[in-house]
């Protein structure tokens, strides 16, 4: 019987697998290579690690998505595969995504302790704890420069995730066909604004990569990041009353503030959102409660 064709990795997934592979190796996991000639196997990574005198085996699937609502089905598929026990010597099955697993519909993960879900950020933090970086001084002087030195890969992944969200938003806006002249003008303005933000993300990505190669001055990258922060602040101030009522706008705003926090440009906004969400508030309620003048002045 001919082997069924499997889809090839897209660029984002392949980059993520390569990034996580380096982190796993640094954390003393042994990697069984699953990528072969660009074809996609059942699992993106198969890992082993010695713990308390025995080797444990883990399988990892990467699920990059634009919509978190796709994740419960993927996670349920991982649970079903684990329950089938097609592979007998696997200790844990991990599903890793750029977005968080939605609370609704809630999956009773405690019933399947050998199946775990991580966001990329959560997995990075866990692996970094297993392999703490030695203390040492870098060349950066600003918060933004130091953040890039410490976590370039996470920043680049966050940028790519935001670009995907913007591209999806622009495509949906272009599908709209309003007849009213004012509505057309408003739609065109929204598309232009998101295109400008997308371009700023591209500039940040290029600057981050160049900074690590000493091809751009730290002052320049700080200015580029703060231009993006200003754009997000203006978008928030102008659309404060509607951002929290749109799931896609809410997700993008939270992602943008998360990027600003990761890259060292802002902490108050991201921490205010995270603290409220941890406290049990809904996303809409948290964003609705935030003031218009949320973004602080630049210090770097």
């Amino acid at each position: 019987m001919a082997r069924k064709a499997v889809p090839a990795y897209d660029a984002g997934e392949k980059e993520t697998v390569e990034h996580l592979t380096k982190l796993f190796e640094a954390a003393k996991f042994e990697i069984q290579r699953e990528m072969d000639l660009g074809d996609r196997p059942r699992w993106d990574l198969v890992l082993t690690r010695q713990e308390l005198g025995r080797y444990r085996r883990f399988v990892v699937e990467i699920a990059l998505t634009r919509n978190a609502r796709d994740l419960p089905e993927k996670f349920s598929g991982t649970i079903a595969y684990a329950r089938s026990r097609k592979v007998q010597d696997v200790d844990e099955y991990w599903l890793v995504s750029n977005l968080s697993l939605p609370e609704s519909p809630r999956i009773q993960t405690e019933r399947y302790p050998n199946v775990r879900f991580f966001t990329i950020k959560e997995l990075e933090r866990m692996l970094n704890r297993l392999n703490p970086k030695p203390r040492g001084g870098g060349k950066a002087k600003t918060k933004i420069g130091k953040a890039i030195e410490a976590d370039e890969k996470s920043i680049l992944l966050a940028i790519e995730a935001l670009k995907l969200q913007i591209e999806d938003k622009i495509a949906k806006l272009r599908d709209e066909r309003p007849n009213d002249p004012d509505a057309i003008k408003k739609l065109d303005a929204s598309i232009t604004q998101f295109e400008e933000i997308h371009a700023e993300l591209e500039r940040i990505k290029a600057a981050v990569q160049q900074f690590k190669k000493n091809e751009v001055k730290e002052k320049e990258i700080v200015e580029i990041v703060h231009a993006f922060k200003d754009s997000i602040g203006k978008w928030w101030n102008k659309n404060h009353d509607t951002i929290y009522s749109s799931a896609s706008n809410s997700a993008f705003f939270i992602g943008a503030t998360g990027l600003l926090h990761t890259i060292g440009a802002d902490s108050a906004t991201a921490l205010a959102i995270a603290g409220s969400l941890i406290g049990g508030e809904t996303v809409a309620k948290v964003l609705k409660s935030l003031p218009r003048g949320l973004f602080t002045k630049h210090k770097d």
Side-chain angles (χ1 to χ4, degrees):
M1 180 181 295
R3 181 181 177 184
K4 185 178 179 181
V6 291
Y9 283 86
D10 64 31
E13 288 176 327
K14 186 173 182 179
E15 181 180 349
T16 302
V17 170
E18 292 172 348
H19 168 54
L20 293 180
T21 295
K22 293 177 181 178
L23 294 181
F24 278 119
E25 289 176 334
K28 309 305 180 184
F29 283 82
E30 295 181 10
I31 311 296
Q32 177 180 330
R33 304 288 177 177
E34 283 289 291
M35 287 190 296
D36 183 23
L37 301 179
D39 289 339
R40 183 173 193 136
R42 176 63 183 86
W43 303 103
D44 296 319
L45 286 169
V46 178
L47 317 165
T48 58
R49 191 171 192 268
Q50 187 174 13
E51 296 180 2
L52 299 177
R54 66 176 287 260
Y55 277 91
R56 302 185 71 232
R57 195 176 188 211
F58 309 81
V59 291
V60 180
E61 181 176 5
I62 309 296
L64 301 186
T65 181
R66 297 179 181 179
N67 192 331
R69 290 194 295 270
D70 297 335
L71 294 176
E73 181 178 355
K74 292 181 181 294
F75 192 60
S76 295
T78 305
I79 291 174
Y81 191 92
R83 292 181 65 187
S84 72
R85 298 187 63 81
K86 293 181 179 179
V87 180
Q88 299 293 323
D89 60 342
V90 175
D91 293 281
E92 291 188 16
Y93 301 78
W94 293 0
L95 180 64
V96 180
S97 179
N98 54 310
L99 300 180
S100 297
L101 190 68
E103 293 186 5
S104 180
R106 183 179 293 277
I107 297 177
Q108 299 298 324
T109 55
E110 62 269 15
R111 294 175 55 192
Y112 310 101
N114 66 329
V115 182
R116 303 178 68 183
F117 178 91
F118 298 92
T119 64
I120 292 172
K121 289 292 295 181
E122 289 170 344
L123 186 57
E124 286 170 340
R125 286 194 293 268
M126 183 185 76
L127 294 176
N128 285 332
R129 286 196 297 270
L130 292 174
N131 180 45
K133 296 178 180 178
R135 295 183 178 271
K139 60 183 176 61
K141 304 299 181 182
T142 64
K143 290 181 180 179
I144 291 172
K146 291 176 181 178
I148 294 170
E149 285 183 338
D151 212 2
E152 177 195 8
K153 289 294 185 181
S154 296
I155 291 168
L156 292 176
L157 286 171
I159 290 171
E160 289 301 324
L162 284 176
K163 285 170 56 184
L164 284 174
Q165 291 185 56
I166 292 178
E167 289 162 9
D168 187 54
K169 290 176 72 63
I170 291 175
K172 289 178 178 177
L173 288 171
R174 285 177 174 159
D175 285 339
E176 297 183 14
R177 295 291 187 271
N179 295 319
D180 180 71
D182 290 337
I184 294 173
K185 184 177 180 180
K186 184 177 180 180
L187 177 65
D188 289 343
S190 294
I191 292 174
T192 298
Q193 185 173 39
F194 282 118
E195 287 177 336
E196 291 173 351
I197 293 174
H198 188 280
E200 288 175 344
L201 286 168
E202 284 284 6
R203 286 193 287 273
I204 294 174
K205 177 182 176 181
V208 167
Q209 294 171 326
Q210 292 168 352
F211 181 68
K212 293 290 288 187
K213 299 175 183 177
N214 296 318
E215 295 175 354
V216 66
K217 293 182 178 179
E218 187 172 3
K219 180 180 179 181
E220 183 177 344
I221 195 170
V222 168
E223 292 173 351
I224 292 172
V225 170
H226 283 312
F228 172 72
K229 179 179 177 180
D230 288 339
S231 294
I232 297 301
K234 291 175 182 176
W235 181 62
W236 167 258
N237 293 336
K238 183 178 180 180
N239 301 280
H240 173 268
D241 294 331
T242 57
I243 287 176
Y244 61 79
S245 62
S246 165
S248 63
N249 284 345
S250 297
F252 174 72
F253 180 73
I254 291 174
T257 56
L259 171 61
L260 288 170
H261 179 60
T262 302
I263 206 168
D266 180 74
S267 60
T269 306
L271 293 178
I273 294 172
S276 298
L277 292 176
I278 291 171
E281 301 289 356
T282 64
V283 171
K285 187 174 181 179
V286 170
L287 297 185
K288 188 176 182 180
S289 67
L290 296 176
R292 288 183 183 273
L294 184 62
F295 289 84
T296 57
K297 293 294 183 182
H298 316 321
K299 292 183 179 180
D300 279 339

